[in-house]
Amino acid sequence: MTPYALTVDAGIGDLLDADRLLHRMAAGLDLPGDVFGCTHLVRDDRPRVVVSLSLASRPLPGTLRERLAGYGAVFPGLPDEVGRAVLYPGVSTLTGTLTVAELLAGSAIARVTVLGTPEPPGPDTRVVTRDHVRPQWQRDELVLAATPALGGTLVPFEAPDPTPCCADH
């Protein structure tokens, strides 16, 4: 992904709270529009979700580390290479229904995969975003996993309002 990254461990226990933290950071820290804000699952003696902020081609602003300290413990680098992206270039345009081609052209997402099928969807396939598009890093590119939905459309695999019994898995 990038060498220009910082990780924040705020002791968060679930993905939705981590999403909210990233959105608070984006609003409160005036982050650049090309920042990547990701969640990462930590599975050690204290399971939790940490967040990372990174830029693809340049260092993060020098004062950011100090400002991030108000949110939790700050560490250089990424905790892993498979973060789930919440903030990324173009995410704010991924609302309503878009074609796969529009989704790819308007955001940092590089590919769309469909669970249970070996081939990628066609460029004219419609994606009902539900205003919640969370791709994951795979081999240095953002990949959105989608599932088939009604009317030949796709929806992102991750639901915006997961069932409570499954929300923390």
Side-chain angles (χ1 to χ4, degrees), residues 148-161:
L150 293 174
T153 64
L154 299 174
V155 294
F157 175 72
E158 183 177 325
D161 50 359

Side-chain angles (χ1 to χ4, degrees), residues 39-118:
T39 61
H40 305 264
L41 301 178
V42 176
R43 294 179 176 96
D44 58 14
D45 59 330
R46 190 174 56 92
R48 62 203 179 282
V49 182
V50 299
V51 300
S52 67
L53 295 173
S54 61
L55 292 170
S57 61
R58 66 185 191 282
L60 289 161
T63 59
L64 185 59
R65 184 179 182 127
E66 293 78 28
R67 293 183 300 156
L68 287 173
Y71 294 94
V74 181
F75 304 96
L78 298 170
D80 57 46
E81 297 178 0
V82 294
R84 170 185 160 272
V86 175
L87 306 174
Y88 51 93
V91 66
S92 64
T93 66
L94 302 180
T95 61
T97 300
L98 304 167
T99 65
V100 168
E102 291 168 331
L103 185 141
L104 297 176
S107 74
I109 297 172
R111 285 188 300 122
V112 176
T113 61
V114 181
L115 298 179
T117 63

